[in-house]
Amino acid sequence: MNKKVVVIGGGYGGLRAIEFLAQQSDMDVTLIDKHPYHYLQTEAYGYIAGRFDLHDVVIDLQDWCNGFKKKVTFIYDNVQSVDFEAQSVALCDGAISYDYLIIATGAKTNFFSFIEGLREHSFGVKSLHRAHNFRVEFENLLYKKLQNEETQEINLVIGGAGLSGVEVAAEMANVVEVYKKTIGSRINSVKIYLIDASETILPGMSDFLINSTHKRVEALGVNILTNAFIEKLDDNFIYFKNQEALKYHFMIFTGGIKASDLNECIDVKKNKISQFITDSMLNIAQKKNVFAIGDCVEIRDASGKILPPTAQSAERSAEYAAESIRKRIDNKTIAPFDAKVLGVFIALGGNWASGELFGVIKVKGYSAYLLKKAITYAYYLGLRLRINTGYKNRIKKP
């Protein structure tokens, strides 16, 4: 009898795990997600600035699963809890049993409770609906500028100067620059602010990435505020701990993440942002048949260093978990998880990027943009080919 493998979460990690698991003839694979789509969060910067359309950042999970020709079942439902002893996943509509389980539920924006008014007055980019709401606000603002209906100075603020924050700030600033050709000097009253409490943008990244990104973002006209501690927000102002205030139109917050809601329902060891703390083989609850991967986990390499919550980390942990399931079924030895960040590419507005590969190769400008685009396109093409197969399978049904 085939082993039942359940994957919770259709993000980067969940989909990568299924790509491997679906090739195993002795496994029946089920994907569960509370959304009917996969959201390419790494492309959020382009979507909210209007460079990409909706079809560029989402794919239909049902058609994607259909592309595996009945090897993968998709369940569009919300997971309520997991019973590790009964090996069962409770859904809003019923339950499903498993032999092996991979939890890949990702993370959401952490609107820090100690910043008064942050959740009420800012947008996130971790969820599609928040990114979409911001895109609508941004496009409405540009439209009003075009119609000369909005004449006052407008400050658009990105809180958090990590990877997502600088990409959003750079793309928005580039869009503002492009619009000078149609809106003219009226667009000059739109100002972009990038704010972070750290001493520099991209805290924790290499000097090359920090310096090249800083120069590019400044050249685009972004106002960079570091060592800036936000105390509270109201409808009109951002207040800093040094008693200064910044009038703003709207704000995107990318300053932190928190594990998904499901983590709160599972009584296992977690860190202060609710990420699971696994053993060296990415198992939780002392269950060798339960794996947790991606942003819902505090992932460490073999030396104990925490890996950044990126799509790359999610995919590496997914590959490890999927291969570990194969080895457990075959009674083979499993080595502890170990992965490194192989490279980082940062989209910085228009046809410009900055990146590193293997810590040795350093590129910036158009060449880095081409490399990032090639990597993204390869991932997107793989998803699209699978969807096309699934769509054709669906329309053949009577």
Side-chain angles (χ1 to χ4, degrees):
M1 180 179 293
N2 284 3
K3 296 296 184 181
K4 297 178 180 179
V5 184
V6 173
V7 178
I8 305 174
Y12 289 95
L15 267 56
R16 179 55 63 91
I18 287 174
E19 286 281 0
F20 177 89
L21 296 168
Q23 299 175 33
Q24 314 305 310
S25 61
D26 56 350
M27 298 183 195
D28 294 326
V29 184
T30 299
L31 170 65
I32 306 171
D33 199 281
K34 63 181 179 180
H35 299 297
Y37 55 80
H38 166 65
Y39 170 39
L40 282 73
Q41 291 182 26
T42 57
E43 304 303 288
Y45 69 92
Y47 177 66
I48 65 176
R51 185 175 184 182
F52 303 147
D53 291 322
L54 191 61
H55 68 82
D56 294 314
V57 297
V58 295
I59 66 159
D60 183 77
L61 285 175
Q62 182 63 71
D63 278 345
W64 185 80
C65 289
N66 289 345
F68 291 97
K69 300 178 180 179
K70 300 183 179 180
K71 281 293 297 178
V72 179
T73 300
F74 176 59
I75 297 178
Y76 171 33
D77 204 342
N78 205 347
V79 174
Q80 300 297 298
S81 62
V82 179
D83 186 331
F84 296 120
E85 300 306 320
Q87 296 190 179
S88 177
V89 176
L91 308 172
C92 290
D93 185 17
I96 182 171
S97 62
Y98 65 84
D99 295 305
Y100 291 91
L101 176 66
I102 297 178
I103 301 176
T105 47
K108 58 185 180 180
T109 302
N110 189 3
F111 295 98
F112 300 129
S113 59
F114 58 81
I115 301 179
E116 182 183 340
L118 180 62
R119 174 178 285 277
E120 294 82 4
H121 298 290
S122 64
F123 298 87
V125 297
K126 297 295 286 184
S127 66
L128 180 60
H129 82 276
R130 281 188 171 271
H132 176 72
N133 288 343
F134 177 82
R135 176 192 174 110
V136 171
E137 288 281 344
F138 187 48
E139 289 183 340
N140 284 341
L141 171 62
L142 295 175
Y143 179 77
K144 288 179 180 179
K145 284 291 181 182
L146 179 63
Q147 295 284 3
N148 204 24
E149 296 174 3
E150 182 65 75
T151 57
Q152 65 178 339
E153 184 171 290
I154 298 296
N155 295 330
L156 310 181
V157 178
I158 295 88
L163 186 60
S164 295
V166 297
E167 288 190 327
V168 170
E171 195 60 51
M172 286 174 55
N174 184 71
V175 168
V176 169
E177 183 68 24
V178 169
Y179 264 76
K180 287 182 179 180
K181 298 176 182 178
T182 53
I183 300 178
S185 60
R186 296 192 298 278
I187 199 68
N188 291 334
S189 60
V190 177
K191 308 294 184 183
I192 312 295
Y193 283 82
L194 180 62
I195 302 174
D196 201 282
S198 300
E199 294 183 0
T200 179
I201 64 171
L202 299 174
M205 293 197 178
S206 71
D207 289 342
F208 169 77
L209 289 175
I210 292 172
N211 294 333
S212 60
T213 298
H214 195 284
K215 289 178 181 178
R216 168 62 176 175
V217 172
E218 268 196 335
L220 287 169
V222 175
N223 301 283
I224 302 173
L225 304 180
T226 52
N227 288 313
F229 297 86
I230 298 174
E231 188 170 64
K232 67 177 182 178
L233 288 79
D234 61 22
D235 290 340
N236 300 303
F237 288 92
I238 297 171
Y239 299 92
F240 299 96
K241 288 189 176 180
N242 62 3
Q243 305 303 313
E244 292 182 359
L246 173 67
K247 187 176 176 61
Y248 77 107
H249 186 73
F250 51 77
M251 174 181 177
I252 293 179
F253 186 70
T254 65
I257 65 167
K258 185 177 182 180
S260 67
D261 294 336
L262 179 62
N263 284 38
E264 298 290 347
C265 303
I266 298 177
D267 186 19
V268 297
K269 189 176 181 181
K270 295 185 280 280
N271 63 16
K272 62 182 180 181
I273 57 173
S274 297
Q275 290 176 314
F276 295 129
I277 296 178
T278 70
D279 62 19
S280 62
M281 295 180 181
L282 301 186
N283 297 128
I284 63 170
Q286 298 180 324
K287 301 296 182 181
K288 297 304 181 183
N289 64 334
V290 179
F291 298 83
I293 64 173
D295 290 358
C296 70
V297 184
E298 182 183 278
I299 299 181
R300 296 176 180 267
D301 62 18
S303 66
K305 181 180 179 181
I306 296 178
L307 297 178
T310 62
Q312 183 181 158
S313 296
E315 291 178 342
R316 297 294 83 76
S317 60
E319 292 164 359
Y320 173 85
E323 291 171 359
S324 294
I325 291 174
R326 177 72 272 165
K327 290 178 180 178
R328 289 205 186 283
I329 293 173
D330 296 338
N331 293 316
K332 292 183 178 179
T333 302
I334 302 172
F337 174 74
D338 184 24
K340 295 178 175 61
V341 177
L342 301 179
V344 177
F345 281 89
I346 307 170
L348 294 171
N351 298 337
W352 213 102
S354 183
E356 282 185 342
L357 280 173
F358 313 115
V360 177
I361 302 172
K362 306 177 191 298
V363 288
K364 62 181 180 179
Y366 185 62
S367 58
Y369 163 78
L370 290 177
L371 283 170
K372 177 175 173 58
K373 186 176 181 180
I375 293 168
T376 302
Y377 181 73
Y379 176 80
Y380 183 78
L381 180 62
L383 295 177
R384 280 293 171 191
L385 291 174
R386 184 71 65 185
I387 283 180
N388 289 342
T389 301
Y391 175 75
K392 291 174 182 178
N393 288 341
R394 174 166 58 85
I395 62 176
K396 287 179 181 178
K397 294 180 180 179

